[in-house]
Amino acid sequence: MQAPNAAATVVTRADITPPMSAERARAIAEDFDLRRLPRDFLDNPFPVYAALREREPIRQMPDGSWFLTRYADLVTVYRDAATFSSDKHVEFAPKYGSDSPLYEHHTTSLVFNDPPLHTRVRKLIMGALTRRAIADMEPGLVRLVDSLLDRIEAQGGGDLIEDFASAIPVEIIGNLLGVPHDEREPLRGWSLAILGALEPVLTPEQEALGNRSVMEMLDYLRGLVAHRRQHPGDPEHDVLTRLIQGESSGDKLSEVELLQNCIFLLNAGHETTTNLIGNALVSLQEWPDQKAWLLQRLDEQRHDAEAQEQTLAVAVDEFLRFESSNQLGNRRALKPCEVGGVALPEGALVTLCIGAANRDPAQFDDPETLRLDRPTNKHLAFGFGVHQCAGLSLARLEGRIAIGRFLRRFPQYALTAAPTRGGRARFRGFLAAPFRT
Ligand code: HEM
């Protein structure tokens, strides 16, 4: 725990964005291999992304797969789900072994499937994430955030991730699936291990931990599902009851589909939302002018809750663009095709670099600058097309309430040590960020 009166650590943009020569940019692009990342990449991948976008926007890597960094090319791929499959059976069999828990999990979750499984599961989930259902979550979310802020205030500080950012999604997603409060403790660890196993390169330890976490989560969920079958909730709000009951047409999920998609849901809204909140609060330390602007604006609007909400909504989308929680996505070409003037063969494995597309100067003015009043912001942080994030409204609500209430309560907060990065290429965020109020 952070000592309340520790000195503030000043983090500046210059520390994280060193300038780069044209020669260096070319060398970086030509050398880029997702499986052999440069040492400082995880701290600051953006110069590498910029070099790739300019020099080799559709780069074939040594393993034969393709790495895309331009906004327009990502949109082309996202739009064409008939050509670019999300099904990961081919890709994950050699990665995890086709009889492993990680393989069964990832190849059964909706995000890594095409129709018909994708469509069936998505419809069930979306039916419980309606605008009204999300609005109904707001009072509970405000109470939760305020109780975390009270605790932080009493301590004079704490850790932005452990004491705040990560404590919010675990409760929200726990509520969504009706996980009893005293059973939520292992959820974050499982989620980090299972999503961590999606990294481009895995150590045997990470793989073993991922497999063990799927098994433990399955064990846990079998009990939860059995209980809910006996005591169904309100399907208008309770996603688990909806997934169990299936559609009125009688199209039910199999037991494996049900359990694996519950695991996915519990994980999908977890690390991503933690990172949205954590990245935003760290970014504001790196951009003090933006922090001052946002505070002033919220103060000017203090008698107009709707205007404040709109200001925060625009700011949250800018945080999502600037430091996207999910930096990479994947697709596989089902037939020969062309993207951005480059011919891709059938079977081509494509990595979509969301983090790079979201800083593409062809799409965003002054893309390397955090502008919390950015007027138009069609970022790809939630993906795009048929697989676009099913929880985006919920994530935005969590972001607005958590970031807005934190800032208004602790306008002078400051980091007291350099934050610790999560160490992942796919999910961008921090493991720890000690601060004082
Ligand atoms: C800041 C927070 C979040 C970010 C950045 C994020 C990002 C994403 C992205 C990029 C995808 C698309 C993956 C692809 O096309 O391959 C996705 C899908 C998905 N997300 Fe989120 N997500 C967030 C929060 C949430 C939350 C809170 C939930 C749960 C309620 C959720 C549930 C889902 C689901 C179910 C899918 C799969 C949709 C499909 O395949 O049709 N996400 N998310």
Side-chain angles (χ1 to χ4, degrees):
M1 185 51 56
Q2 183 54 49
N5 293 320
T9 296
V10 179
V11 185
T12 62
R13 296 192 303 279
D15 294 338
I16 57 167
T17 319
M20 192 194 305
S21 71
E23 250 165 67
R24 175 121 182 80
R26 190 169 335 112
I28 286 177
E30 281 169 8
D31 203 37
F32 182 76
D33 179 358
L34 192 55
R35 303 179 65 83
R36 240 181 3 96
L37 291 169
R39 228 176 335 123
D40 50 357
F41 180 86
L42 298 181
D43 270 346
N44 183 16
F46 300 107
V48 177
Y49 292 165
L52 283 164
R53 244 186 351 250
E54 258 175 53
R55 306 279 162 177
E56 267 200 83
I58 302 180
R59 171 166 169 78
Q60 187 163 29
M61 289 182 293
D63 68 358
S65 69
W66 303 80
F67 194 82
L68 275 54
T69 43
R70 279 191 305 220
Y71 183 95
D73 294 335
L74 264 71
V75 170
T76 300
V77 172
Y78 277 131
R79 272 215 174 102
D80 187 359
T83 301
F84 292 100
S85 167
S86 286
D87 184 306
K88 299 287 184 285
H89 285 85
V90 171
E91 207 174 330
F92 286 171
K95 184 173 175 120
Y96 303 125
S98 52
D99 56 356
S100 67
L102 276 171
Y103 179 79
E104 183 184 74
H105 167 62
H106 284 309
T107 56
T108 313
S109 73
L110 79 158
V111 75
F112 294 148
N113 268 279
D114 296 329
L117 177 64
H118 168 253
T119 324
R120 284 162 62 214
V121 180
R122 185 168 173 110
K123 221 163 136 191
L124 294 173
I125 292 175
M126 292 312 281
L129 285 174
T130 59
R131 192 187 281 253
R132 226 194 82 213
I134 290 170
D136 288 349
M137 294 182 202
E138 186 162 342
L141 181 54
V142 167
R143 276 196 304 277
L144 165 67
V145 167
D146 285 353
S147 71
L148 295 170
L149 296 176
D150 289 345
R151 205 180 314 153
I152 288 169
E153 187 168 343
Q155 294 170 175
D159 190 287
L160 282 178
I161 310 303
E162 194 184 318
D163 297 323
F164 191 61
S166 72
I168 298 164
V170 74
E171 293 301 316
I172 296 303
I173 296 287
N175 290 346
L176 205 65
L177 287 184
V179 175
H181 283 275
D182 58 351
E183 295 171 11
R184 293 179 184 182
E185 204 268 329
L187 292 179
R188 178 155 191 247
W190 285 333
S191 162
L192 284 168
I194 295 170
L195 293 183
L198 293 171
E199 280 298 288
V201 182
L202 269 188
T203 64
E205 293 75 28
Q206 286 169 320
E207 190 176 344
L209 182 64
N211 277 316
R212 201 164 62 240
S213 299
V214 174
M215 304 275 279
E216 288 175 7
M217 237 176 151
L218 279 174
D219 260 359
Y220 173 70
L221 282 168
R222 276 190 203 100
L224 189 73
V225 167
H227 185 263
R228 196 67 50 84
R229 280 192 203 283
Q230 286 172 345
H231 308 277
D234 170 7
E236 289 298 311
H237 287 80
D238 181 37
V239 180
L240 185 53
T241 300
R242 247 191 132 75
L243 290 169
I244 290 172
Q245 292 178 349
E247 290 179 69
S248 45
S249 60
D251 193 2
K252 283 193 195 252
L253 300 180
S254 71
E255 188 73 5
V256 171
E257 290 168 349
L258 170 65
L259 295 173
Q260 297 292 7
N261 279 286
C262 286
I263 293 185
F264 175 72
L265 250 186
L266 284 168
N267 293 342
H270 210 128
E271 191 172 354
T272 47
T273 317
T274 300
N275 291 351
L276 160 62
I277 300 165
N279 290 350
L281 293 174
V282 173
S283 290
L284 287 174
Q285 296 289 304
E286 295 163 357
W287 297 82
D289 53 334
Q290 289 297 296
K291 176 171 172 254
W293 176 85
L294 184 56
L295 277 166
Q296 190 187 336
R297 186 107 182 115
L298 292 173
D299 188 49
E300 287 161 6
Q301 297 172 329
R302 63 190 171 282
H303 302 304
D304 186 346
E306 226 170 89
Q308 277 194 335
E309 191 179 313
Q310 183 53 27
T311 297
L312 284 166
V314 172
V316 163
D317 272 288
E318 177 66 348
F319 290 126
L320 283 161
R321 179 193 74 82
F322 194 70
E323 287 280 356
S324 309
S325 330
N326 189 350
Q327 295 270 306
L328 306 175
N330 296 88
R331 296 292 188 269
R332 185 168 53 90
L334 295 177
K335 51 186 184 229
C337 54
E338 193 193 294
V339 178
V342 174
L344 302 181
E346 178 180 339
L349 294 175
V350 175
T351 299
L352 304 172
C353 186
I354 295 172
N358 278 345
R359 294 197 185 196
D360 186 343
Q363 175 66 23
F364 301 99
D365 290 339
D366 201 7
E368 303 287 345
T369 300
L370 181 78
R371 274 179 56 187
L372 295 178
D373 62 346
R374 192 172 283 278
T376 46
N377 194 347
K378 292 187 176 171
H379 64 75
L380 299 175
F382 292 119
F384 182 70
V386 293
H387 284 278
Q388 188 176 43
C389 179
L392 57 82
S393 303
L394 182 54
R396 283 180 165 133
L397 177 73
E398 289 179 69
R400 280 200 308 275
I401 291 180
I403 298 162
R405 296 185 89 79
F406 182 97
L407 259 186
R408 275 170 287 170
R409 179 83 77 99
F410 307 126
Q412 306 295 335
Y413 79 100
L415 297 181
T416 50
T420 310
R421 278 250 161 243
R424 305 192 176 182
R426 186 174 297 274
F427 294 100
R428 182 163 177 79
F430 297 97
L431 282 180
F435 77 105
R436 60 150 174 78
T437 55

